[in-house]
Amino acid sequence: MKKSIQAFIFAFALFIGVVSNSQDKRVTKADNEYEEYSFSPAIDIYKKVLDKGYVSADLLKNLGNSYYFNANYKQASDIYKRLIDDYGKDVGPEYFFRYAQTLKSLGDYEGSNTVMDKFSEITDNDVRANGFKEEKNYLKEIKKNSGRYTIKPFEYNTSYTEFAPSFYKEGLIFSSDRDTGNLARYRHTWNSKDFLDLYDTNDSSVVKLGKEVNTRLHESTSAITKDGSTLYFTRNNFKNGKYIKDDKGVIRLKIFKATYIDSTGVWSNIEELSINSDSYSVAHPALSNDESTLYFASDMPGTFGASDIYRVSIKEDGTLGAPENLGSNINTKARETFPFITNEDVLYMSSDGHPGLGGLDVFATNISNGKLNSSVVNVGEAVNSKMDDFTFIFNSETKKGYFASNREEGKGADDIYSFIENEPLLLDCHQAVTGTVRDKISNEVLVGAAIKIIDENNIEISSAITDSNGTYSIDLDCNQGNFVRAIMEGYVPAEEYLGKSDGKAKIIDFYLERDKVSGGYGDDLAKLLQLSTIYFNFDKYDIRKDSEIEVQKVIAAMEKYPSLKIKVNSHTDSRGKDSYNLWLSKKRAQATVDYMISKGISKDRLEGEGYGETKLINKCSNGVKCTGKEHELNRRSEFIILE
């Protein structure tokens, strides 16, 4: 089984124990090596102690973990099996989970499921157990997304380690331990490999980044701004030429930032980020499309598992906000690491906590519009395999990308692979739909109208109610066709079909027609249809321009309901002689009727009558002083339903 140097990069925290009652001083040395994450010598010592017949649960845990975090899954599986067989459920659920993962990596899915059943029995509220119970057919689900990629090995792979690609100009920056010049002095004891440095491929060859970035410790995962001026990268805790250990003797990981100086062609001004700590790891930077948010992995306090995905805002002055954990839908009690964000706000990451094929798998979830509750989807084969698959990056415009894996067919411990996406990944797709619901004739907003999302099987998915402004806002799944339907009592429902889309927000306004005129004889149609009052100028009977649109609404109602007959009642204010006002009101009623006839309404459906100043609606009778606005209220026409 191949060893993978990337274990150093994603294994932040381990269950570290001390072998009790050991009679061999070599165990103490192995424990010290283990606590410093120097797994390669720890493995040798633990094996010798085990071969001499000394065994304990802690020894088996440490030995199994040493294999597990070096991706030696066959050896890890054998040790975890012995641990569980000899010590049972007392060893803790995490070791059942890791044992199940090793079996899955070896292709024993049935055996892995059996162990996961036991894991589920002894855990409470663990997303991995819940996910397993809900998705026992996870292999079928993974199969649905498989076969979408055409992959091939990266042209610059060697027999050493290559991983952590990031887009830079027309090429890549990646991490490798190919430089063996520091073999004797600086070889890392985690897995007896050389330390990692960052390399650039933009000159059609592999060029090592300068000594300002690369040091005698590890430099790995990176992210570069689109203008190429700022580089974020992962490095061991390193300051003033010296590495820094925490209180356990562990050299933690930190994210550093570098600035490219055009005049010198050198990355300089190296500084560590404010979110770093000497007591926990912060690593694997990724930038949002607008570069206002930095995503990363960490085991800081509040982490659900071995490592979680976090994000932090980048302020205009370059300072950072407070880190935010992406939550239990995305993060599990295992490892979530190596985030990458596409232009469409799809988060890709590696995890061994979500259902996968073995080891670390690549997963994706839609985080557009700030949502963190979308389904987490395994991207399937051939990107994912039985081994560890990680550091996935993807250009959603060109459909090209890269990832790393320690699969058997590779050249080195870890290798980079390029790929082309032939079919899009089916993710949760959230589309925001907003709009206003109005009466088609009066144009008045309809408060309390129901908006329903109906799928193509005529099943209601979600609903909303229009507010006091007649507006609504609702989300739908844009991976499928949906009907957006507006319903209001007394109106004919209306709907619009939306097919699969890219998730861009859409505005849909509805104009509902009444299913009938619900008034009876003597009711005012203007009130039923919420029309504005028809007003006339002083001493005039021609229809004003601002009132013409209201008469047009009455005409529309009569066209909609052919059996409707109305009587136009016209009124005047109290100014002028009573006899004149009576004559003027009759002229106004007739003018309104004639206007409607000219627009196609049959005259046998219309009547008109003038009432002069006999039916004032306010105090403004003869001799009462009123304003012009108050008098105007009496100069009106009404539309009374006859049948």
Side-chain angles (χ1 to χ4, degrees):
M1 187 69 67
K2 291 167 52 178
K3 293 184 179 181
S4 170
I5 199 168
Q6 50 84 17
F8 172 82
I9 305 301
F10 60 73
F12 291 124
L14 302 175
F15 291 84
I16 299 174
V18 178
V19 178
S20 59
N21 300 320
S22 172
Q23 299 181 29
D24 195 321
K25 293 182 179 179
R26 283 176 292 186
V27 174
T28 302
K29 177 175 173 57
D31 288 338
N32 292 335
E33 298 282 5
Y34 183 95
E35 290 183 4
E36 292 186 0
Y37 292 4
S38 299
F39 285 157
S40 186
I43 287 173
D44 293 338
I45 295 172
Y46 284 139
K47 283 176 62 181
K48 289 179 180 178
V49 173
L50 196 61
D51 290 343
K52 292 181 67 173
Y54 296 104
V55 63
S56 71
D58 286 332
L59 186 148
L60 293 174
K61 288 177 183 178
N62 289 351
L63 181 56
N65 289 339
S66 297
Y67 284 130
Y68 182 82
F69 287 109
N70 268 302
N72 293 326
Y73 293 126
K74 177 61 173 70
Q75 293 91 329
S77 181
D78 292 341
I79 296 300
Y80 285 146
K81 182 180 186 303
R82 181 172 177 180
L83 173 67
I84 290 170
D85 287 346
D86 291 351
Y87 296 94
K89 296 179 180 179
D90 293 337
V91 302
E94 197 63 29
Y95 293 92
F96 282 82
F97 176 77
R98 290 179 187 170
Y99 180 35
Q101 288 295 99
T102 62
L103 291 173
K104 194 184 297 182
S105 294
L106 299 174
D108 184 1
Y109 294 108
E110 184 176 346
S112 177
N113 288 344
T114 299
V115 177
M116 281 299 293
D117 281 327
K118 295 178 182 177
F119 170 74
S120 300
E121 292 173 5
I122 59 176
T123 54
D124 294 318
N125 264 340
D126 191 304
V127 67
R128 296 169 294 177
N130 294 337
F132 173 74
K133 292 174 184 176
E134 294 170 2
E135 302 179 39
K136 281 199 172 182
N137 60 342
Y138 68 91
L139 290 176
K140 293 181 180 178
E141 293 300 314
I142 293 173
K143 194 71 175 177
K144 290 180 182 178
N145 278 323
S146 295
R148 296 177 302 102
Y149 300 103
T150 301
I151 71 170
K152 64 179 182 179
F154 182 49
E155 61 181 313
Y156 298 115
N157 285 336
T158 68
S159 58
Y160 297 93
T161 285
E162 283 79 32
F163 79 112
S166 60
F167 294 116
Y168 177 52
K169 297 181 179 178
E170 300 302 317
L172 297 176
I173 285 178
F174 67 93
S175 185
S176 177
D177 66 343
R178 62 178 61 197
D179 184 356
T180 59
N182 59 6
L183 178 64
R185 184 176 179 185
Y186 298 129
R187 171 158 286 190
H188 181 51
T189 56
W190 178 287
N191 53 11
S192 299
K193 293 291 183 179
D194 297 316
F195 281 94
L196 299 163
D197 285 325
L198 291 175
Y199 294 81
D200 180 6
T201 68
N202 272 284
D203 293 327
S204 299
S205 61
V206 177
V207 178
K208 194 173 183 178
L209 267 63
K211 62 182 180 180
E212 293 80 10
V213 171
N214 289 319
T215 65
R216 60 191 180 91
L217 292 181
H218 283 298
E219 283 79 30
S220 62
T221 47
S222 61
I224 306 96
T225 54
K226 293 175 183 176
D227 63 4
S229 64
T230 303
L231 169 71
Y232 297 90
F233 65 97
T234 302
R235 175 193 281 172
N236 283 121
N237 194 357
F238 184 80
K239 189 174 182 180
N240 298 327
K242 298 180 180 180
Y243 56 80
I244 309 298
K245 294 184 178 182
D246 66 9
D247 56 6
K248 294 182 179 180
V250 177
I251 306 171
R252 294 290 181 172
L253 302 177
K254 290 186 173 183
I255 297 177
F256 290 77
K257 182 171 73 171
T259 303
Y260 189 76
I261 308 300
D262 285 327
S263 60
T264 61
V266 173
W267 291 101
S268 60
N269 301 325
I270 311 294
E271 58 181 294
E272 69 169 270
L273 302 189
S274 60
I275 55 176
N276 290 333
S277 172
D278 291 339
S279 58
Y280 53 79
S281 289
V282 174
H284 318 321
L287 289 167
S288 62
N289 183 46
D290 62 4
E291 300 182 349
S292 66
T293 304
L294 181 73
Y295 291 78
F296 60 95
S298 179
D299 61 344
M300 66 175 61
T303 298
F304 292 97
S307 61
D308 283 2
I309 306 296
Y310 288 79
R311 65 183 175 189
V312 64
S313 61
I314 304 173
K315 301 178 182 179
E316 290 186 3
D317 62 0
T319 59
L320 302 179
E324 174 194 5
N325 189 299
L326 297 196
S328 59
N329 179 62
I330 291 173
N331 293 313
T332 71
K333 291 185 179 179
R335 298 176 289 183
E336 279 71 45
T337 187
F338 301 122
F340 179 80
I341 315 298
T342 69
N343 291 348
E344 282 74 32
D345 286 332
V346 175
L347 164 65
Y348 287 91
M349 64 178 181
S350 287
S351 170
D352 60 3
H354 294 281
L357 296 174
L360 287 172
D361 273 17
V362 177
F363 294 84
T365 184
N366 189 338
I367 59 171
S368 60
N369 302 317
K371 293 183 179 294
L372 299 175
N373 59 352
S374 299
S375 297
V376 177
V377 177
N378 188 300
V379 304
E381 298 176 308
V383 166
N384 287 326
S385 68
K386 296 177 183 178
M387 301 300 290
D388 290 314
D389 309 293
F390 52 99
T391 58
F392 181 101
I393 63 174
F394 179 53
N395 185 321
S396 54
E397 295 178 358
T398 64
K399 306 301 180 185
K400 296 179 180 179
Y402 298 85
F403 69 98
S405 179
N406 64 334
R407 58 193 60 183
E408 291 292 341
E409 60 266 29
K411 270 188 175 183
D414 298 322
D415 289 292
I416 295 174
Y417 295 83
S418 65
F419 69 84
I420 297 175
E421 184 187 67
N422 303 312
E423 296 179 25
L425 181 66
L426 190 62
L427 291 169
D428 282 357
C429 180
H430 296 282
Q431 183 174 25
V433 179
T434 59
T436 304
V437 182
R438 297 178 180 272
D439 185 297
K440 185 175 183 179
I441 295 173
S442 69
N443 204 43
E444 295 292 326
V445 299
L446 297 180
V447 179
I451 304 297
K452 298 181 181 293
I453 304 299
I454 312 295
D455 68 13
E456 291 176 323
N457 296 316
N458 206 34
I459 297 173
E460 181 180 328
I461 304 301
S462 59
S463 63
I465 301 293
T466 56
D467 60 19
S468 59
N469 296 313
T471 61
Y472 70 91
S473 177
I474 198 166
D475 281 345
L476 53 76
D477 180 0
C478 48
N479 276 326
Q480 64 182 28
N482 294 283
F483 296 92
V484 184
R485 186 175 299 169
I487 301 172
M488 183 73 175
E489 185 177 358
Y491 289 85
V492 178
E495 68 183 16
E496 183 168 332
Y497 176 75
L498 293 178
K500 295 180 181 180
S501 72
D502 57 6
K504 292 182 180 178
K506 187 173 181 63
I507 298 174
I508 301 178
D509 294 326
F510 290 100
Y511 296 87
L512 302 186
E513 297 181 355
R514 286 185 175 270
D515 57 0
K516 63 179 179 178
V517 177
S518 56
Y521 176 80
D523 288 336
D524 186 352
L525 183 64
K527 293 180 180 178
L528 292 172
L529 298 181
Q530 303 178 27
L531 304 184
S532 299
T533 305
I534 308 298
Y535 293 119
F536 295 87
N537 291 328
F538 175 68
D539 201 29
K540 301 290 184 182
Y541 55 81
D542 56 311
I543 296 175
R544 295 189 337 193
K545 285 292 184 184
D546 62 338
S547 294
E548 187 175 7
I549 188 171
E550 302 305 319
V551 181
Q552 285 289 347
K553 294 174 185 177
V554 177
I555 293 171
M558 297 191 74
E559 291 174 342
K560 174 66 177 176
Y561 308 107
S563 63
L564 179 63
K565 294 182 179 181
I566 64 171
K567 179 184 178 184
V568 180
N569 291 342
S570 291
H571 308 269
T572 68
D573 61 36
S574 63
R575 292 176 293 182
K577 293 182 179 181
D578 291 355
S579 59
Y580 175 78
N581 286 339
L582 183 60
W583 172 84
L584 181 61
S585 66
K586 290 180 179 179
K587 294 294 288 184
R588 287 176 173 172
Q590 191 59 49
T592 304
V593 169
D594 289 344
Y595 178 86
M596 297 176 71
I597 291 173
S598 72
K599 300 302 180 182
I601 302 300
S602 175
K603 64 181 180 180
D604 61 4
R605 299 174 62 195
L606 299 167
E607 293 182 16
E609 185 172 350
Y611 290 89
E613 57 184 273
T614 62
K615 294 188 177 184
L616 302 176
I617 62 172
N618 57 23
K619 65 180 181 177
C620 301
S621 58
N622 291 335
V624 177
K625 188 175 181 180
C626 290
T627 65
K629 286 291 185 183
E630 289 173 321
H631 281 300
E632 185 183 63
L633 295 176
N634 290 311
R635 301 193 303 269
R636 69 198 189 279
S637 283
E638 300 163 333
F639 300 88
I640 305 303
I641 297 173
L642 297 178
E643 64 176 79

